[in-house]
Amino acid sequence: MLKEKRVIRDPIHGYIHIDDELIWNLINTREFQRLRRIRQLGSTSVVFPSGTHTRHLHSLGCYEVARRMLEEIKNLGECLNEREKRAVLAAALLHDIGHAPFSHSFEAILKHHHEFYTVQIIKGPSEVNDVLNTVDDRFAEEVAQIIDHSHPNKILSQIISSQLDADRIDYLLRDSYCTGTIYGKVDLDRLLRTMRVRDNVLAVKQSSIYTVENYIMSRYHMYWQVYYHPTSRSFDSILKSLFLRLKDLHEENPDIVREYPMYKALLEKEILNNDEFFLLDDETCSYSFNLMRNSSDPILKDLAVRIMDRHLFDYTSADNEEELIRHCLRKGYDPRYYVVKDYQRQIPYLPYLGRGSDNIWMLMDNGELRELSEVSSVVGSLTDLNEQDERVFYPKEIMK
Ligand code: ZN
């Protein structure tokens, strides 16, 4: 324990409270500090200019929600031992430590999801791993197990990653506040007051059914209005094309890494080690795009200018792809980089058949546990809603 409790000011939670030295030491590792240089919402700020908050702040917020869950959910504290409580708070803090630049759009380029690098950093070698090892040599493994859902106590993973968890609650509240949208409001205080552990799963009392329905609707609206906004997907399409071009150029002439040494490992290896991964952040990428403004390759140069100066692609229905390819060729643009298809899909709420702890459970007045969509006709009707959106992105000049 710290001699004196530390607090960090936060616009969403007021204060983030830290009294365990382990958490304080994790915050002060170089891998956690790197998250200051990773924006939470990647390209979303091309649409919502104030949405430039970082993974660093969201990770602290996720920790704070998890901490409040342990403290305020009536019988949760007594279901977990002290070691499990420390492990779940460390997991909440570290759950996004493996995030690449530009949020999820970079995952396609890295070929691995952020969870892969999160677990790799936790298991080390890394400063994070050194700090976790101060507890004992099994502790890092247990934190990793909470993140990859292999921990035997399923309730620990449910706290940070299920369908109603500390991660989602913090990002909905924070992303709506920071973008200035009003869809993501979640009544956290009421949820915490009415959550209970029953049969080793977290459940919400029946009396809070409207709070849970509102949470599901908030999430649904945030996805289409903010996270899948077509303008930020346009930015992501250009980003994908730029890295595709870089990869193609590297195959022709591996010397290109001399001009962009920050991408040496990315271009040459399937899996980056922790030191190589550490150097990739939003600021490194922005610097590289500025270098590419002077590239002798006209495609790389054009794509970098588009990213930095927000000269985005237009978009239309994916049905027009063939026609766009023809226009592209007519205007002398290579459709490999200038016609980009993107597909997004969202199911507002899906009851899981496999991992039961991933469901949202309602604790009925008669003491029975029931899965949310069986109890709420509003959510029940949403489980059939499988909204898909396929678009194709292209430079508007080709249509002139
Ligand atoms: Zn997160």
Side-chain angles (χ1 to χ4, degrees), residues 314-337:
D314 263 2
Y315 50 85
T316 180
S317 153
D319 301 339
N320 302 321
E321 189 183 11
E322 278 178 28
E323 192 196 334
L324 286 170
I325 290 173
R326 278 199 302 277
H327 282 290
C328 232
L329 292 168
R330 185 174 56 84
K331 287 277 185 175
Y333 286 76
D334 186 341
R336 179 165 164 83
Y337 313 106

Side-chain angles (χ1 to χ4, degrees), residues 40 55 58 95-96 167 171:
Q40 168 77 359
R55 288 269 157 201
H58 158 64
H95 77 284
D96 276 344
D167 181 24
Y171 77 61

Side-chain angles (χ1 to χ4, degrees), residues 174-220:
R174 191 171 302 281
D175 296 347
S176 67
Y177 173 85
C178 291
T179 53
T181 53
I182 56 161
Y183 321 106
K185 299 279 181 283
V186 180
D187 190 350
L188 173 60
D189 293 329
R190 186 172 169 89
L191 279 174
L192 292 175
R193 241 166 30 83
T194 53
M195 282 173 107
R196 297 286 184 276
V197 180
R198 178 62 61 93
D199 300 340
N200 212 34
V201 291
L202 271 177
V204 187
K205 284 173 75 177
Q206 187 179 0
S207 59
S208 276
I209 184 103
Y210 306 116
T211 314
V212 179
E213 286 176 349
N214 177 65
Y215 159 80
I216 297 286
M217 292 311 294
S218 296
R219 199 173 75 173
Y220 172 63

Side-chain angles (χ1 to χ4, degrees), residues 282-333:
D282 289 9
E283 292 174 17
T284 305
C285 288
S286 294
Y287 172 60
S288 77
F289 302 153
N290 269 330
L291 291 179
M292 288 173 197
R293 283 178 186 271
N294 298 316
S295 172
S296 54
D297 178 69
I299 296 177
L300 197 63
K301 178 177 174 162
D302 175 60
L303 296 169
V305 168
R306 285 175 184 277
I307 286 176
M308 294 306 276
D309 300 349
R310 199 187 179 277
H311 296 163
L312 301 179
F313 286 173
D314 263 2
Y315 50 85
T316 180
S317 153
D319 301 339
N320 302 321
E321 189 183 11
E322 278 178 28
E323 192 196 334
L324 286 170
I325 290 173
R326 278 199 302 277
H327 282 290
C328 232
L329 292 168
R330 185 174 56 84
K331 287 277 185 175
Y333 286 76

Side-chain angles (χ1 to χ4, degrees), residues 9 24 38 65 70 74 85 116 142 161 181 192 200 214 234 246-247 277 286-288 312 314 332 359 397:
R9 263 284 183 200
W24 186 249
I38 304 280
V65 177
L70 295 184
K74 255 192 182 145
K85 286 182 195 170
F116 173 87
E142 286 169 32
S161 162
T181 53
L192 292 175
N200 212 34
N214 177 65
S234 164
L246 196 60
K247 217 170 132 253
F277 184 85
S286 294
Y287 172 60
S288 77
L312 301 179
D314 263 2
N359 284 325
E397 305 88 277

Side-chain angles (χ1 to χ4, degrees), residues 243-260:
F243 280 99
L244 179 63
R245 182 63 184 165
L246 196 60
K247 217 170 132 253
D248 290 348
L249 290 171
H250 178 254
E251 263 163 41
E252 279 168 33
N253 177 13
D255 278 351
I256 191 141
V257 296
R258 270 201 235 131
E259 282 177 69
Y260 311 110

